[in-house]
Amino acid sequence: MLRRLLFGALLLLAQPAFAQAPVPPAPVLETPAESLERDATEYARQFGVSQAEASARLTAQAASVPLTDTIAETYRDRLAGIAIEHRPTYRIVVYLTGSDPVPDQTLTTDASTVPVIFRTGAKVTRERVIWAMTYHQAAIRAALRVPPGMGLDPRTGELVVTIGDLDAATSTESLKARLEGIAGVPVQIRVLNHRDVNLAATPPEGGARVEGTSPDDGKRYLCTTGFNVTDGLRSAVTTAAHCLDQLTYRDAQGTSVPLAFVGQWGWGYHDVQINTAPGPLPPTFYADTAKTRLRAVTGQRSRTSTRAGDFVCRRGERTGFSCALVQLTDFAPAGDLCGGPCLPTWVTVAGPTCKGGDSGSPVFTGSTALGILKGASYRGDGSCAFYFYMSLDYLPQGWSVLRSDPSLALTPNPL
């Protein structure tokens, strides 16, 4: 009897070794309408409005792009910036130089009417501030102890210079006057006590998306893929240029798929790497933390059509799915994160979370692709101040984002 009991116990202990792991269900492929509603749920939570109001606002956000593009071109010689306000009401505000008034407009959709307000009196134009950042960046960096972050405040037409405690020890007013003398435009000093960093690859935790072994230390690291792309002949995935060259995709079943390295572009206004897959890829990307839902790319938005105040989302391996507001659309990160100084072509978003391993992750709104995550700025306590991404405008020449053909049925594929 004792022998039979011991044998039975051994069988019970052995069973898990032979048991088949359950196969997770295929991810759900969302329609564009479902994608908007899921983003709207997050918007409603953050801004305390109803689901219907959140959906109406995000619908207006997308519908307003052609209008604000036209406004930007019409008033190019006076334009300081365009921003979307969410409180106390939802509206679009256009900031212009000079004092000549411009009549307000309205944007009407099926679900809402959005005021478009024109404000005059901005100090200088957007183009002039971008020119100052580009051509006086070296002199501004030399005037400070720590290379600063720089960007355009679209609400005032000022050059924003973000500094830490070392440079803040001197008089802010005297520093402001000195930098204005260098740049030739009004300067706004922001003391953030922060550090801008690339969200570099990290050792994988849980279900890693793409990973590889570093030839330097022999450790395995992970990054996140962004959008699937094509050069007309090959299908490939994008990630950040500062990720490892040789990467392997690991699916939900634990199967490894090697991704062949094509190239990386990581200077000035670039931070993108391309690796080809063994076969054709669909135009889809994960859009939830648990990787149970996919979205098909139906459109792409340029950096010039992106406004401060746009509500955008992303999905990274370390932090999952989150949404927040665009802060600056013409930002040059601090330090030498772009093979040297960065150009003012990056877009910042107000976190709320950022961690290593999220590098390369997709930034999107609904089913519209926006960019590829590069890095983040951390506060002194280690919390995420904001992240910044590369617009898909700057994909390497010959490559474009795969988009959905509405006439074809898509098969869910997580790559």
Side-chain angles (χ1 to χ4, degrees), residues 256-275:
S256 295
V257 180
L259 304 174
F261 177 73
V262 174
Q264 59 182 213
W265 297 259
W267 55 89
Y269 57 93
H270 277 133
D271 193 344
V272 58
Q273 176 173 306
I274 290 179
N275 291 67

Side-chain angles (χ1 to χ4, degrees), residues 46-358:
Q46 291 188 29
F47 290 94
V49 299
S50 68
Q51 179 76 16
E53 175 64 16
S55 298
R57 292 185 179 190
L58 294 188
T59 298
Q61 176 176 287
S64 66
V65 171
L67 174 61
T68 55
D69 282 350
T70 299
I71 289 172
E73 183 59 32
T74 302
Y75 298 99
R76 180 176 179 178
D77 293 340
R78 298 181 60 188
L79 184 68
I82 299 174
I84 296 176
E85 293 185 352
H86 301 261
R87 293 187 175 105
T89 59
Y90 188 84
R91 63 182 185 177
I92 300 169
V93 183
V94 182
Y95 299 87
L96 303 175
T97 59
S99 57
D100 293 342
V102 174
D104 294 339
Q105 301 180 21
T106 56
L107 169 72
T108 302
T109 69
D110 292 339
S112 64
T113 298
V114 179
V116 181
I117 309 300
F118 288 82
R119 289 182 177 167
T120 59
K123 299 176 181 179
V124 293
T125 64
R126 171 180 178 269
E127 287 190 352
R128 187 173 170 188
V129 174
I130 293 174
W131 184 92
M133 278 191 282
T134 303
Y135 290 97
H136 298 297
Q137 185 181 52
I140 293 172
R141 286 162 59 99
L144 298 167
R145 297 183 183 183
V146 179
M150 289 181 278
L152 164 71
D153 185 338
R155 296 170 178 84
T156 64
E158 294 174 310
L159 169 59
V160 176
V161 179
T162 60
I163 62 174
D165 289 342
L166 282 176
D167 288 297
T170 59
S171 167
T172 301
E173 285 304 314
S174 63
L175 179 59
K176 169 181 164 68
R178 182 151 44 104
L179 295 182
E180 286 180 342
I182 294 171
V185 297
V187 169
Q188 177 188 139
I189 301 291
R190 294 183 185 176
V191 182
L192 293 182
N193 186 26
H194 69 123
R195 57 189 178 92
D196 294 350
V197 298
N198 285 325
L199 289 179
T202 62
E205 295 180 2
R209 187 66 180 272
V210 284
E211 57 187 43
T213 302
S214 169
D216 297 327
D217 59 17
K219 295 181 180 179
R220 293 188 70 77
Y221 293 86
L222 76 87
C223 277
T224 306
T225 59
F227 298 100
N228 294 339
V229 295
T230 182
D231 64 354
L233 298 174
R234 297 170 290 178
S235 292
V237 299
T238 60
T239 191
H242 58 269
C243 296
L244 295 176
D245 294 352
Q246 303 302 326
L247 294 171
T248 298
Y249 169 76
R250 190 177 296 278
D251 66 17
Q253 289 77 34
T255 303
S256 295
V257 180
L259 304 174
F261 177 73
V262 174
Q264 59 182 213
W265 297 259
W267 55 89
Y269 57 93
H270 277 133
D271 193 344
V272 58
Q273 176 173 306
I274 290 179
N275 291 67
T276 57
L281 297 174
T284 56
F285 61 95
Y286 279 124
D288 69 324
T289 298
K291 294 192 286 191
T292 61
R293 306 185 74 87
L294 290 167
R295 296 186 187 180
V297 176
T298 60
Q300 179 179 328
R301 186 170 303 164
S302 69
R303 184 174 68 90
T304 56
S305 294
T306 303
R307 294 76 52 97
D310 273 339
F311 187 76
V312 304
C313 306
R314 70 176 180 88
R315 192 267 163 205
E317 272 299 317
R318 290 290 302 282
T319 59
F321 174 82
S322 65
C323 303
L325 299 181
V326 170
Q327 296 176 319
L328 304 175
T329 60
D330 306 284
F331 177 70
D336 296 312
L337 300 184
C338 302
C342 296
L343 295 175
T345 57
W346 305 86
V347 180
T348 71
V349 181
T353 56
C354 44
K355 288 184 179 179
D358 285 348

